[in-house]
């Protein structure tokens, strides 16, 4: 499976590592020093959120809060085609409330 992975922090980095370890093609955004080992293990570094989300089977977001989810979603919207989906693992529950209008 081709997966766009956005959010390589404390939670996201090990999740991306597990996906790579089981053979998924994982496209990574904002690879920093702490995440460089993922590229050495076959993760594919992409320069933008849109590039990481382009032509993938799923997008996983692991960003901290609703504004971050909204920002990343806007950056990658053009790359996500009809029928594609994104899975948001935001750390704060108010993300769901903010995006659902509650």
């Amino acid at each position: 499976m081709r997966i766009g992975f956005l959010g390589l922090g404390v939670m996201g980095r090990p999740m991306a590592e597990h996906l790579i370890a089981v053979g998924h093609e994982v496209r990574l955004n904002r690879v920093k020093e702490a995440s460089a080992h993922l590229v050495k293990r076959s993760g594919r570094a992409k320069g933008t959120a849109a590039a990481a989300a382009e032509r993938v089977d799923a997008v996983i977001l692991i960003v901290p809060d609703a504004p971050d989810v909204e920002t990343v979603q806007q950056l990658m919207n053009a790359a996500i085609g009809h029928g594609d989906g994104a899975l948001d693992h935001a750390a704060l529950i108010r993300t769901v409330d903010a995006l659902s209008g509650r």
Side-chain angles (χ1 to χ4, degrees):
M1 177 179 262
R2 290 179 318 264
I3 300 169
F5 204 100
L6 310 168
L8 296 172
V10 173
M11 288 191 333
R13 193 170 37 254
M15 293 173 77
E17 189 167 3
H18 289 299
L19 292 168
I20 291 167
V22 297
H24 295 289
E25 180 185 315
V26 181
R27 298 172 184 189
L28 310 164
N29 180 239
R30 295 183 65 191
V31 176
K32 298 180 181 177
E33 186 177 337
S35 304
H37 68 286
L38 299 175
V39 176
K40 291 178 183 175
R41 293 187 177 146
S42 81
R44 297 181 182 195
K46 299 294 180 178
T48 65
E54 198 170 54
R55 291 187 298 276
V56 296
D57 301 306
V59 176
I60 298 175
L61 304 175
I62 313 269
V63 296
D65 206 350
D68 297 320
V69 172
E70 291 169 5
T71 298
V72 171
Q73 187 175 14
Q74 289 171 0
L75 292 171
M76 68 181 189
N77 272 348
I80 295 179
H82 179 72
D84 291 342
L87 180 59
D88 167 25
H89 287 284
L92 301 176
I93 194 64
R94 68 177 191 234
T95 299
V96 174
D97 293 341
L99 295 177
S100 66
R102 293 187 211 168

